[in-house]
Each structure stands twice: as structure tokens, then as C-alpha cells.
Amino acid sequence: MEATPRWDVVSFGETMIRLSPPLGERLETATRLDVRIGGTESNVAVALARLRHPVAWCSALPDNPLGRRIAAELRWHGVDVSLVHWVEGGRVGVYYLDVGVAPRPTQVLYDRQGSAVATIDPTCIDPTIVRYARWLHLTGITPALSPNCRAIARALVEAAQQAEIPLCFDVNYRSLLWSPEEAAETLAPFCASATVLICGRADAETLWGLHGAPEEVLVGLVQRFHAPITLLTLGDGGVLAEANGQRYHVPALPATVIDRIGAGDAFTAGVLHGLLEQVDLAQALRYGVALAALKITMNGDLALITRHELEAALRGTARAVVR
Amino acid sequence: MEATPRWDVVSFGETMIRLSPPLGERLETATRLDVRIGGTESNVAVALARLRHPVAWCSALPDNPLGRRIAAELRWHGVDVSLVHWVEGGRVGVYYLDVGVAPRPTQVLYDRQGSAVATIDPTCIDPTIVRYARWLHLTGITPALSPNCRAIARALVEAAQQAEIPLCFDVNYRSLLWSPEEAAETLAPFCASATVLICGRADAETLWGLHGAPEEVLVGLVQRFHAPITLLTLGDGGVLAEANGQRYHVPALPATVIDRIGAGDAFTAGVLHGLLEQVDLAQALRYGVALAALKITMNGDLALITRHELEAALRGTARAVVR
Amino acid sequence: MEATPRWDVVSFGETMIRLSPPLGERLETATRLDVRIGGTESNVAVALARLRHPVAWCSALPDNPLGRRIAAELRWHGVDVSLVHWVEGGRVGVYYLDVGVAPRPTQVLYDRQGSAVATIDPTCIDPTIVRYARWLHLTGITPALSPNCRAIARALVEAAQQAEIPLCFDVNYRSLLWSPEEAAETLAPFCASATVLICGRADAETLWGLHGAPEEVLVGLVQRFHAPITLLTLGDGGVLAEANGQRYHVPALPATVIDRIGAGDAFTAGVLHGLLEQVDLAQALRYGVALAALKITMNGDLALITRHELEAALRGTARAVVR
Amino acid sequence: MEATPRWDVVSFGETMIRLSPPLGERLETATRLDVRIGGTESNVAVALARLRHPVAWCSALPDNPLGRRIAAELRWHGVDVSLVHWVEGGRVGVYYLDVGVAPRPTQVLYDRQGSAVATIDPTCIDPTIVRYARWLHLTGITPALSPNCRAIARALVEAAQQAEIPLCFDVNYRSLLWSPEEAAETLAPFCASATVLICGRADAETLWGLHGAPEEVLVGLVQRFHAPITLLTLGDGGVLAEANGQRYHVPALPATVIDRIGAGDAFTAGVLHGLLEQVDLAQALRYGVALAALKITMNGDLALITRHELEAALRGTARAVVR
Amino acid sequence: MEATPRWDVVSFGETMIRLSPPLGERLETATRLDVRIGGTESNVAVALARLRHPVAWCSALPDNPLGRRIAAELRWHGVDVSLVHWVEGGRVGVYYLDVGVAPRPTQVLYDRQGSAVATIDPTCIDPTIVRYARWLHLTGITPALSPNCRAIARALVEAAQQAEIPLCFDVNYRSLLWSPEEAAETLAPFCASATVLICGRADAETLWGLHGAPEEVLVGLVQRFHAPITLLTLGDGGVLAEANGQRYHVPALPATVIDRIGAGDAFTAGVLHGLLEQVDLAQALRYGVALAALKITMNGDLALITRHELEAALRGTARAVVR
Amino acid sequence: MEATPRWDVVSFGETMIRLSPPLGERLETATRLDVRIGGTESNVAVALARLRHPVAWCSALPDNPLGRRIAAELRWHGVDVSLVHWVEGGRVGVYYLDVGVAPRPTQVLYDRQGSAVATIDPTCIDPTIVRYARWLHLTGITPALSPNCRAIARALVEAAQQAEIPLCFDVNYRSLLWSPEEAAETLAPFCASATVLICGRADAETLWGLHGAPEEVLVGLVQRFHAPITLLTLGDGGVLAEANGQRYHVPALPATVIDRIGAGDAFTAGVLHGLLEQVDLAQALRYGVALAALKITMNGDLALITRHELEAALRGTARAVVR
């Protein structure tokens, strides 16, 4: 029996409190930090919710002011957080951002060990929730958090396969969480189950030794995982894709950098938006690069962009002031 | 009998409270807004007052903290506000600024309906005040605010003509206030009365169908309104002008963008400064583009620039630090 | 046929953007304003939602950044805003707060005319929504906004009576919106329909000439409107109540004042919380005064208090630091 | 020949840039400082200008951003600064405020040596300006700044006497600027010339050895200087006055302390307001203590209070919120 | 062989990053947090260093921006941090402060598990460092952090006893870290080794069942631990002490509350300051309560008070403004 | 007898309080100023201390909150300030920064006359301190401050020569402090004593009339002062050097400009770092330009950069985000 979809996308992952000093200040000497939230899966969820897609984000959070803050801010943007498992006495992950401008890099200091979601009992999450969604979205960070998270991610993929819900999987290798070998082995089945597989060029090389020209790397990913849609993200070089034997390249949109964090997640959200709207893949990729460019122009992980603004950016309307 | 000039320029128009989030934040999610003031006519007046010209700005304001704020901030910069008509119980217009960086445009949200100046009784403003000024400055926004404002603007132009005071008129079409047709018809007599007519390229096309190369558009404006000095502003392309059958082109000065709002008004002020200082038109236009470039480097609508700074910018002194 | 309750309370009213300078600054000279939201009905709804009651707030909002902000911030706190009617092109009401400390009063500057909810077509709101709630909450501000709002408020009361849903009505006379005579006449039927009638001492005198000792004023209200539960709020004097011929007095809890705005709404929420929890009236009133005292200790209209914190305040735990 | 008064009050003195950390921070460790202006004479002038009295403040200022800031902020509040003498290349005085709360005192760190006004050539100030005012206001700080300032203060008093303009003189002894002996000797002639003499209890003891009960100190001042109106300020004890052989005592108004600096100047302004409005002395003193109490409720040296607010405070309207 | 003292006091403990919202904001909804540092032992060290005592604080810190921040801020205040053991890859403890005003309590949310100091290898700290100090200062928090920290604390006490360095021990029970039973048992030997034993009234009851009037509790502590100087802190009731069979009571100094956190540590520092200055115990206690009162008037854990300010507060100079 | 080096570098000079408005604001209209410290010698010292070099900075400071702030902030970064001479009652220099972006220059307003260091008695500084350092660092600003400072600088150079400690001298001509003629004459002996001589191209021309191509100017400096290492800084053109008859050119690293002030001092620190690390001169110069580029990316005079970050910038690692 087929479930009626309640959500366009459902995801599972960790969202953290994000603390960052004002522009031009360094973390060590800052006297005030801006409080925001960030997590790759919920970043995608928020961007989609702002584009008016019904989405749900599932995770575990401690019932303290910081945990409630994460849920509340997601709710603000319209993300359904009713699937969240609330825990007494745990902690949230926190990450500190030392935002740089060239040639000084932005540096991330994670303090995420032992978070509520990393220590969650897998039986607390019901994998069949995916049946009520059109897409399942996961990233390679979640299996890296803990064996429990890995089990949950696997159960969700299995439930999705049973219910014929497609998986959008973003490799997102985090070197601070695990080794390339462990990641490569663990993530391969996820990649092989994905309908849309997203992988950055550096991750493709680090995990699976795929190097050479972007086209060669893309071919390597396709041959290895056979995803119906394979996307190789190239940073300022845009995105290279293959689907049904056809090749696509969409260059990045130039943007004034305010905050780079979350640009990749905005790209994923833009592509999913396109697929949900059933435009062709080239157009979906254009949504992706446009949403990534717009994200970069604002503080925080989140791409707070309306459909109207996304369309305007794609049309390339040259006006600097709208009034 | 000729009046002794008290002011170099007198103007009439609406000034609003301007509320804007910090750089990189969006209006919808901001938790603090900077309070400034802005209005095209008073922006010009402030820029001129900072350059040590005696100027007066006339309008109507409610006698509440926001109305008093507008008058006080103008007084701060040296603008004479003694002509302002004070109203019990009205409101000030407010505009919210969602400041963008490329490719995200700056978006303006106006909340200006029913403001004190829009609802003013025309008899409250004595048009003969223009007799005490060397120039009358008006823009196409004022006639768009209300029939009453239109009547006052017309009365001021008439009084100026009788007193042989030249008019500087900036078309400044605002699509949220009226249709192109109504604007074209209403503004034509103002344009035809102007000694200095300023029009942006897009407005020339929207209102009077003048398209083609900038030179063609300029010719169109000259043939239609016969202003002694006609200025076609081209944004990053600088300005194209015609006066006494002679053609001028002054390119824009490159500037790091902090806030674009008010750049056009700074240009107008720079040109008027030049005309008041009786430099030749080419030099006056250079003042205009330099003041616009300097304005762009600071927050807010206002060009807070001294004569010394303006001259230094024009000399193109290359020093990044003055000490 | 009886509907299953989805919400403990449903309300209808106007919520505004609230702009206030930092402590010790005056509105006229402030250079930054804090952005919050406020509206008597949604203040009650938020306080209840924070206490984990399912509540819905109904209104009309323009689909612009300020309208979306209001809905988003309510969603943050857990209020259901799915009943909101979205409008293209309207405006939200705004109020500016000049926060004082004794002997300088806090002054409110309203700029709310012509807001989306005041200009709403009454047919856009379906009054039968009250059938899905345990309580209907209305205040005397809504009928003062416009004839349309008055019609909607009446329709909601009628629908509530048909569905036997009790009404909690807070008189809340606003002298800037209408005359005492018009208010007295218009609000009387609402008072007469209320199960819980809340009225401040000054309003009782201004509207219905009820003066004298608090007890006399209370008797006057009871004799005039026959509400099953009549609450006379006395500010620092606490609250005096009558229900089923019994009299109650609960003194106010002393509190360090950070921001008084919203204390009355917190009181209403505390009482409704008690009634929903089916404690006796004396205890419900204690919830009311405690929630009001806690509200006063924080910035903004909203009482952001958990059940745990409310219970601790009532137990009068004397600890100044919890760790 | 008698001059027509242009100003109700004219004064001469030093105004400084005032830098203060946020509440609860100490000067040594603060990372941001609020920029305001302060000077006892201009504080009085601003308070009077806010009450709609035409007033002028005379001084010397360097033509740099800090000097211009002082003039601009005074202009904002409506003070006439056209008498200011502008200097190339000088400096403004600065004072740093380490704002305390009991039992930690507010500490002032002056950095005012060599300021433009202290080094002014006395011939730059024309003392006959006092002829265009109803009152001359001076304080004991000005003669302490430099011999030049002393000479100017004396010339102003002389010109006032010739033009029969009354002097309001506030002793305001500053121990960091000079010794009690030098001050006592220098200030005596000013006190003896005053129509209104204002002296704090501690200053009366320090300078002239007047101790004992307030009444005795007051008698001592009256016997020594024979001012028509002698005011002994008692801080939290209010003010004790003698005029025409009659004695007055007005208690202080209780107020929540935000910032004490400037309270004495607000008192002076309130008294002058009363005298200008020609109320009886008791009422003038009530204006003084009320304005001082209102000043204390806001940040900065300046009493930004309208007539309406002053009257309301005097009526003792008990409302904590005005809406 | 006796070592020459380098420091007046040496201590060992955990210092955390402290994150707190602005006054009146709640942790859950704050958008900015102030960054400070706090830890009971380093709070005492800073207060002593500000009074010009050479002091050293020993701990373990990770070599990341947050660890470096803690050391740097202590260095700012003059604390010697050369004994700190630097760790690659660990974390610092963090605590979040939800600052309240009555009746809303200040709430502390600790996130300190697994910090560098809690996981330190005890052999990394050389206990003989105490030989270079006049006093060893420890608190009951350190043994609660981990078995390793407990071992280090014990080794320090042992080394102090061998070198005849007196111990100042503050019980400071933290219920979130361990049970009363475990704490009572673990802390008893520390208490019994102390020359100065400091215990709050509630802790005396919770840990050792000492209740009744303060005098009885004090007697209980003296009889149980026989410390030469026993101090029972009573919060607003001041402090009760016994030494050499003599009893002392010093009431608390009234203070306007800005931030209570750290008041107890300031008290300890004041007492140690007195003992180091060799004043009599009554005077040392007065230093304690005065420093605690002064601490309360400023934000943050730290008592940033000079000797001059401390003496002035004790003399009870009534001036609210020093200039 | 040779002293054991305690410090890699010792310097002497003036450090000021630096007050600057937020980005995009102008000094005249700013309502808040950021408080930082700056001084060319201590800027170099801080940058070296952050790179883990032991350094000492010598100067005179008043014992008030601003003087203590300067010492404390240097201590924060690890600079030894134990050589500072503390003065009762003096003042610190202050400088105000009107930060610009192109084409608006950054403008510096100095208020440094009569500072504690400028008025110091030369006998208060013991020149033999240089014996405990590997390098003496001086700039041309110190001799310009006062004859006393000139005497101290000379005594330090003499002591260094006797102890065979090399001098690093940065010409740093400040036109507001003295004339080119006086500077040229005074600074020549310092230049002639330097082991490393650093001079900007404009200063070389202003002081010694050296113009033409950079190579010619460099030759002029070498021929005039015969420094073993001569560095001609060219701003965006990088640096040109000569040592042992060999010529070096290192181009500047492109950087996003946040704040240019202090870039030259960071360059000096980078070069000294290289020399102390005994890399070859080309690599030392690369350290210089990299540290200057990194400095430009952050607010304030100080280059807060770790060795790790410096090495990464030199390797030109292209990553914009490190995580």
C-alpha cells in the first residue's frame, strides 16, 4: 500500500549551534559571537522550505535552550520538526567559525562529540517515515557521527528502497570525523543506492582515488556507483553532471562573498527543487548554482531565498536595486 | 523687486525613516535595524550642506519622535528646516532596505502611504519661498505622492519662473507609485521647465519610449524638453550631457560598494555644486560622478563629504591611507 | 456533530512589528532599533504555546518580509499560523516603543492604520474554525480596528456559541483607536458572551463609569455582564475575581522591571493555562500573576517561560542562581 | 539702545566628546565605546532647546570630525551654534566614563588639556553677544580651564551687567582643574554678580568652608554673595533656596538610575525654564528637580525631554505605560 | 631547602568559555552571545592579580582558539599562566548563562564534559609547584571533574603540606557533577587539610547535614574539620567566621545587581588579599564582602577592582560620581 | 661579558588607543567606536609574539584605565611589558580612524600630543636592556615624538652597538609630527646604524630626494646608508631588497582589504621572523609580504596569525574553508 506523500523531502542528520564573530574579527579575540544554526541536511531542508516545499528534518535534540533553539529556528523557516526525538540531559554539537577573506581561509572548529544525535538509540527513529516523502536526502556526515547514526542511515535507505522513494546522497567527506578508508568503504553502498549522487572533486580523489580532468573523475563516479544522476561539484568551476549517458556542465554564478558556508547545501537544494518541479536536469543544475551564489551573499549557513528571487537571479536581471 | 538669496538651493519633497539590517543579514530575519533617514530631495540638500552651501528643505512632518528625528538629522548636517510644516497626529513614511550584494539585488520595501507630506493641504506651503533661493530642486517623486503634492510642486515651479529662479529637475520614476503613462504626462511640464534636466536611461525608455544608444536617448530628451542642460545618467556608464549644442561624457569613478542607495542624489548634488561654484559643465559633471562614487563607500542615503575630500577624489590622489 | 479539538485556544487579532531602542535610549535619537513582534492575542498564544498548549492564531498578513517575519516568529514559538490569510501588497502595523523607567513612562507610538488585517474582507475568515478549539480568545482591540474586524469578531463569537466553545474576552480599551462611548457600546455584547471576562480597573471606569473600591468595580462588572468568571486586574495590586458567587484576590508577584509591555497578556495566558489544566480558579490566578511577573523580567512582548520555570516561580524558590 | 533678544539664554563653555562603555562593562576592558557629547553649559542649552527655548552656545571648536560632531549634535537638538569660533588644527577635550552602580561609583577620566576652547585667543569672542539674550549662563568650570577662558567669562559678565542681562551661575567646582583656594578666589566675583546662584553642598564647604545643616550653608551663601536667588543643591535631598528673604525646599523626585551625569545641568535648565516662563520660584524649582529626575532615566549627559513630558512628570501621573 | 615564593597564590582548576546573552534576552532566543571566561579558581586568581598580587593558575588547555583565549584573557589581567599544560586536539568546557532578574533566576547550562583538564594525565602536573607559592587555593569543583583531577588535587595538597604551604579550600558543591554522598566523602580530607575553609550554608547542609542557625552550622564545621579559619558564607547575610576560638560576623554590602556569578570567588579573593596583607581577620572578611559587592556591579565572572577602589568601597565613601 | 638573550626582539615606542567606527560609518556621525590599540613598534612585537617569539616592548604609560588597557592587551598577545615605565597622572595618545574604501581614503586623526611617553624623563629608561635581546627594533616615529624620545632612541642604538645587537630600523616618516628636513637629518644616523633598514618609496623621496625607478631608489638608499640589508617597500608592488650586493624582489600577495592599518608593521615582523628563524632573505621577505597580506584581512592594527597560518598562506593552499 502506497503512502500519500506529506513531504517533498525528508532528511536525517545533525544540526549544530553555529557561533561566529563579526566580519574581520578573529575567533580567539572576539568579544561577541553571532548565534545561528547549521547542519548540512537541515540547511538543504530550510532552503527547500523557503522555496515552499513541504519538508521534514529528523534528528535527536536535547530538551534544553540550545536544542529548542535548533528546532525553533527550523520551524521559523517552515521545516517540519515533528519527527525530532527529544532527549533529557544530552548536549548539542557546536561549531565555531573563524570567517576569513582571501588569502585567510575560513576555519571551522568543531565541538560536536557526544551530541544527542550521535548517541541516539537507533530504535528511537522509525525508518518507515520515508514512505511519506517524495525524496530521502542523506549526506556522508551522518554515517560518520557514530555507529548508531550509521545504522539509522542504513535503515532509512532500506526503507526508502522498499517504498521506492529515491535517495539524494551528498558524499560530504569530513576528515575530522573519520579516515578516508573507513569513509570510502562505509559510503560506497549509500552512493550505489542513490538516484542523485553528489560528490565534490576533492572528495572523489580522497575517497576513491579518482583524479585527472573533471570529466574523468565524473566517469569514474558513474562507473563505480551507476547513479541515474551523478553530479560532480567543482566549486568556482560550477558543476559537471551525467544522466542517461548525457553530459551537462553549468558554470558557477559569480557572487560577492559574504559567507561561503552552506553554499554546497544550497546547490543541493536548488537541484532538488528543480527535480521536484520536474524541469529538465540542465535547468535543475542552474537552480543549484544560482541558489549557491545567492547563499554566498548572506551571513549564516541558510539560503533564505524565495522562488521569486531565485527566478530573478536565473534570468540574470542586471538591476542592483529593486524599488 | 528682487529678493536677496538666503539659500543656494531650496527643495520640497518627502523624507522617510530608513530601516536597514546589518550587512549580510536579510530583512525578514534581522533582529536589529539601523535607523537613518532618506529622501531624494533631502539627500541632495544634505550633500550640498556638507559642501557648505546654504540650503533649505521644505516638507510636512508629524510632531512625533520620528518626525522630529527627520528634522533633527537634517539640522545636524546643516540643512535649514525652518520651512517645514508641522502636523499633529500624522505619520512619516518608512522604507525598509534589504541590502544585497551581487547577484542578490538590494530590495526596497516602501511603507509610505498616507504620510504627512502626502496628505498636506497645499495652502500650507507658500510657493514664494523659492524667491530666496538661487535654485529650485524638485524630483518626479513628489508629484507622484498625491494630487496635493503635485499641486505644490506646480506652484513652486510657477513661482520660480516668475522669480527667474532656475529649476533642477530629476525625473526619478517610481513604478510603485504610479503608471508610466500618468508619470509621463504629469512630469512633462516639469521637464520642459527645467534648466537642468536629469533623467536615467531606463526612465527615458519607460516614460517616453526613448531607446537606442545613449546618444540617441539624449537627443530624444533634448528634442522633447529643450532643457538648457540635459543630463542622461548611465549608472556604471557615467553621464552623458548636452548643453548649448555641446556634448559631454564623463565616465563613472570606480568605487567599492558599501551602499548604492543615494548615489544618484549625490550626483545631482555634485552637479549643482559645480554650477553654484560656476565651474564649466564638464567639471560640474566630474563633481557629480565623484560625489556619487564617494557616497557608495558609506552606509546610508547621505553623501557626507567635505569639499576637501571631494577635491582630493577628483585629483585622483592614489593614497589609501591619509595620515 | 462535535469536532475533535485540535487546539486548546484559537484567537484572532492583529500582530505588529515592534521596534524599540536599547535600554536608556530614546526613540527620537536612537540609531538602532530592536525588531520584535507584538499583538495582544498572539502574545497570549505564544505564552500558551511555550507552556506546551496547542494554539492557533488567525489573522491577515501581507506576503512581504515583515508579514512573513510575524508568522515565522510565531511558528518559532510553536503557534499554529496555518489559519492566517495572506494578502498581496498590503502592510503590517508597526509600533515603536520608547521604553522608560520611573518616573519616565514607556511611550507607545502606533503606526497601524490600514494594515492587512484591518482591511481584510470578512469573508476570508471562516468562523467555524472555532469548533476545533477548546477556547476562543478575543480582545477589545480587534473590534476597534475596523468594521470588518468587528464583523469577524462577532462571527467568531457566534460560531463559538453554536459550538459551545467558551470565550475568554479581555476588554483592553485603546483610546487611540476609538472613543469610550463607541467602545462601551460595541464591547458590551462581547463581555456578555464571555465565560472569562478580563477587565482592567481604568477601563472599567472609562467605559462603564464603574469607580470606587476594586470590590465595587468588580460587582459592577458582574452585575452588568454576568460572566461566569470575572477578573478585575489591578496592576501592582494583583487581581480580584468573582466566580460562582465566590470572591478571590491574588496579589502581584514583585519583579524587577525590564519591560512591562505584554504583562497583561501573560496574565491572561497564565489563567487560561490553569483553566486548561483544570486547577481551581485561585491556582489559575496564581499562574496568571506569576507568568506576568516573569514576563516583566525579559525584553519584548512575549512571555518565554517553560512549565518548569512557571512552577518554580510559584513555589517561590528563593535561589537567584540555578546551577 | 536696547537689543531685541534673539535667545532666551546664551552660554559659553567647553563641550567634550564623551566616550562610555555599555552598562556593566568597565572602561579598561570595554571593546566598544558609545560616543556622545557633554559639557555642563551645552547640557543646559540642549535641555532648554528641547523645551522650545531659543538658546545659543558659544565656544571654540577645531574644524575636524570631532569638533564638527559636537556642533552637529547641538544643532540636532536645536541649539544655535553660529557663535562658535572654528579653529584649524586644535583638539577637542574628551572624557571617558566608567559608569558604576552602587556601591561602585561612576568614575570620570578627563583628557581635556589643551583643547581648542582652553587655548582660544580671548579676542575671538565678542562679549556683546549677551545683549541679544534674556539670560547669560556660566559655570565655574570655564574660568578653571585657562586664563584665556577666565578672561572671556569675565568679559561676558561685564557685558551682561552693562546690558542688564541677568546671570545664572553654577559653581561646579572641579578638583582636577584647580585648587579650592584658587577656585574660591576666582569664582567669588562671579557668584557676587549672579542673579541666580547655584551651588552644591560639598562645593560650598570645599571652597568657602560653609558647613553644618543645609539651612546654615544656604545662609552662608546668601550672606557672602547676596544673590537675588540662591539655590543650594542637595543631591537626593533635593534643593534648598532663598529669594527675597523667603525660603524654599523642594525634595528630589525618586528615579531609576540609568546615568547620573548631567542631572545637575538638567536641574539648572528646569529652573531657568521656570523663570523664563515666569512661574513662581517654587514651581521653577519643581521643574528643576523633575527635569533632573527625568534626565537620570536616560543614557548620556543630555535631558531630552519635551514640555509635555515635563508637565506630566510634575503632575505625577502614575502611568507606567502611555498608549 | 625552602623555596623562595614566586607567587602569593597558586591554584589548579578548570576555566571555561562563558557565553551569555545581553540583559533581558533569553538564551534560547538570543542572536548574539557575549564571550567571556569563567572558572572559580581563575576568578579568584584574577581578582588577586588585579589587586597586584603575583598569582599563578595551573590547568590544562587545548591549543585551539578557545584554549588560547582563556590563557590570553588571564594574562591580560596579570595571572601567570606559564604552568598551563597545553594539549593537542582536546576541548574546553563551555557554559551558557541565562541571566535572570528576580523572580526569574539566573540559569547556568554547563557543557563541560570531556574537557582537556578533566581528561588530563595526572603526571603532566608537577605538584611541587606549590613550593613557590605562599598559599595553595583549591575548590571542591576540581575533584568532581574526574578521577584524574581528583588525583592532582590530592597531590597538590600533599605537596603543600610537605612544604608547609597553607591551603585555602572552598567547598563549592556542584550538584550536576556528583552526588552529595560522593562529594561529602571526597571533600572531607580537603576540608580537614585547609587552613582557611570556606563553605556556603546550603552546601554544609547538603553534604554534611549541618542545619539550624548559622552559628550552629559554623560550630558543626569547626568540630568536623578543625580548620584554623572557618568561614560560613550566608549570601545576603554576609559571612560568619571562627578562628582561634573567636567568632566574627560581617554583613554583606548592599549592591545593585548586574551579574551575581563570581561573587563568591571575589569574596575568597578579598579574604586572601587581607591575609596576604596581614590585616586582622575581621578586616580580611570586610575585604571579602566588599570585593563581592563590587563584583556584582559588573558583567562577567571577574572582579576587576583596583586596591584603590576596594579601599574606597570599604571606607563607604558615599559619592556616586568620582570626578 | 655577554648577556644571555631573554627576548628575540626588544623595542621602544608609543602605543595609542585606537578608536574606529564600524565599516561604512564615518567618524563624525558614528555613535559607537571600537576600542583597540596600535603603535608601530608594538604592532611588530605582537605579530612576533603570536609567532611564538619572546619579545619585549618598552615605553611609558600612565597608570589609568587606558594605560593599563594598552599593557594588558599586549600581555594578552604574549608581549613582555615588564619594561614599561608607569607614570602617575599622564595621558595616552589616541588616534581616531575614519576607515575608507576606494576611492575614499582611510583617514587618521591623531590626538597624541603630550602623551606619557613623549614627556618621559630619559633617565627612566635603561638602555642596557638591549643586551638581553637578539634584535633591537626602532622606527622613525619615536625620535619625532619629543627630544626626550629622541635621546632614548639614540641611547638604545648606542647600547646595542656596544653589545653588538643588530638594529632593525623602519623609517616611517610622519608628516604631522615634523618637517622632512628635520626628519632627514635626525633619522640619518639611525639608518646608518641599521643592520636591516626599511624604507617606503614615498619616504625615500620626501626625506632624501631619492626618485626614479624603484631600483634607482634602492641604490640611493644603499649608497647613502650602507645597511647590510636594505628593504624598499612598494605597497601593492611588494618589496625590493639588496643584501651583500644581491638584489631581491618579492611581489605583494593579493588580499581582500578589511583594514590596511598595520600592514607595514606586519611586513617588518614577517621579515624579522625569517631572520630569527635563519631562513634565507628571499624567504624572510616572503614571510613579510604574506604576513602583511594576512593582516589586511582583519580589523585592527595587529597581525593575529599563527606560524601554521603563515606557512599555509605561503604555500598558497587554495582552500577557502578549512574544516
Side-chain angles (χ1 to χ4, degrees), chain E residues 50 52 63 68-69 71-73 75-78 306 309, chain F residues 50 52 63 68-69 71-73 75-78 306 309:
Chain E
R50 301 291 299 197
R52 305 247 159 150
D63 188 11
R68 291 195 296 266
R69 162 60 173 268
E73 191 154 337
R75 225 162 33 216
W76 168 297
H77 297 296
T306 63
E309 291 169 340
Chain F
R50 302 288 304 195
R52 306 247 159 149
D63 188 11
R68 292 196 295 265
R69 161 61 173 268
E73 190 153 337
R75 226 159 36 212
W76 169 297
H77 296 297
T306 63
E309 291 169 339

Side-chain angles (χ1 to χ4, degrees), chain F residues 87-159:
Chain F
V87 176
E88 283 302 313
R91 73 180 293 253
V92 296
V94 178
Y95 77 97
Y96 299 86
L97 215 55
D98 204 357
V99 183
V101 298
R104 185 163 55 87
T106 291
Q107 297 183 51
V108 184
L109 176 64
Y110 287 109
D111 181 13
R112 68 197 299 178
Q113 272 203 317
S115 71
V117 73
T119 59
I120 193 180
D121 174 348
T123 65
C124 295
I125 303 296
D126 172 10
T128 66
I129 53 174
V130 301
R131 303 177 68 182
Y132 301 95
R134 292 189 204 279
W135 281 85
L136 170 63
H137 172 242
L138 291 175
T139 79
I141 296 174
T142 304
L145 295 177
S146 68
N148 288 0
C149 281
R150 204 172 300 179
I152 293 168
R154 283 175 182 148
L156 287 164
V157 170
E158 214 167 293

Side-chain angles (χ1 to χ4, degrees), chain C residues 13-24:
Chain C
E14 179 175 19
T15 297
M16 291 172 280
I17 293 289
R18 164 194 151 130
L19 298 170
S20 60
L23 180 72

Side-chain angles (χ1 to χ4, degrees), chain E:
Chain E
M1 196 188 73
E2 209 171 281
T4 320
R6 282 185 217 151
W7 306 297
D8 282 356
V9 178
V10 73
S11 66
F12 175 84
E14 179 175 21
T15 297
M16 291 173 280
I17 293 289
R18 162 194 153 129
L19 298 171
S20 59
L23 179 72
E25 305 297 313
R26 299 227 55 183
L27 177 56
E28 182 178 332
T29 46
T31 56
R32 277 171 312 151
L33 298 176
D34 287 326
V35 188
R36 291 188 175 87
I37 65 168
T40 185
E41 297 84 8
S42 60
N43 293 351
V44 172
V46 165
L48 284 165
R50 301 291 299 197
L51 297 170
R52 305 247 159 150
H53 294 283
V55 293
W57 168 83
C58 180
S59 189
L61 287 172
D63 188 11
N64 68 24
L66 301 179
R68 291 195 296 266
R69 162 60 173 268
I70 289 171
E73 191 154 337
L74 293 175
R75 225 162 33 216
W76 168 297
H77 297 296
V79 174
D80 186 337
V81 295
S82 60
L83 301 174
V84 168
H85 178 73
W86 292 93
V87 176
E88 284 301 315
R91 72 179 293 251
V92 295
V94 178
Y95 78 99
Y96 299 86
L97 215 56
D98 204 358
V99 183
V101 298
R104 185 163 55 86
T106 291
Q107 297 183 51
V108 184
L109 176 64
Y110 288 111
D111 181 13
R112 68 197 299 179
Q113 271 203 318
S115 71
V117 72
T119 58
I120 192 179
D121 174 348
T123 64
C124 295
I125 303 295
D126 172 10
T128 66
I129 54 172
V130 300
R131 304 178 68 181
Y132 301 96
R134 292 189 205 279
W135 282 86
L136 170 62
H137 172 243
L138 292 175
T139 80
I141 296 174
T142 304
L145 296 177
S146 69
N148 286 2
C149 281
R150 204 172 299 179
I152 293 168
R154 282 175 184 149
L156 287 164
V157 170
E158 214 166 292
Q161 284 174 327
Q162 279 171 13
E164 294 184 22
I165 306 296
L167 168 68
C168 172
F169 188 74
D170 184 356
V171 169
N172 244 340
Y173 173 63
R174 286 290 179 273
S175 62
L176 295 171
L177 295 175
W178 52 358
S179 71
E181 295 71 31
E182 196 183 357
E185 193 189 321
T186 306
L187 297 183
F190 290 94
C191 295
S193 308
T195 296
V196 174
L197 172 62
I198 304 176
C199 186
R201 195 179 174 182
D203 288 357
E205 177 158 5
T206 308
L207 298 196
W208 298 293
L210 300 171
H211 44 82
E215 287 74 11
E216 294 172 68
V217 178
L218 179 64
V219 167
L221 288 171
V222 172
Q223 289 177 344
R224 188 176 281 258
F225 301 117
H226 309 287
I229 300 175
T230 307
L231 309 182
L232 182 71
T233 56
L234 305 167
D236 291 347
V239 62
L240 198 66
E242 180 162 310
N244 300 321
Q246 214 179 324
R247 195 70 55 86
Y248 303 80
H249 177 246
V250 176
L253 233 67
T256 301
V257 180
I258 297 287
D259 181 347
R260 285 184 189 279
I261 307 291
D265 303 325
F267 169 75
T268 300
V271 173
L272 280 171
H273 169 63
L275 297 177
L276 285 161
E277 295 293 297
Q278 299 186 293
V279 301
D280 61 39
L281 184 58
Q283 180 67 0
L285 297 175
R286 271 181 230 116
Y287 281 135
V289 298
L291 204 54
L294 289 165
K295 155 62 210 68
I296 284 175
T297 68
M298 59 189 78
N299 285 322
D301 280 42
L302 307 178
L304 307 180
I305 297 294
T306 63
R307 284 192 179 209
H308 181 81
E309 291 169 340
L310 178 59
E311 297 290 346
L314 266 185
R315 279 195 313 272
T317 321
R319 295 165 67 198
V321 180
V322 174
R323 63 177 165 188

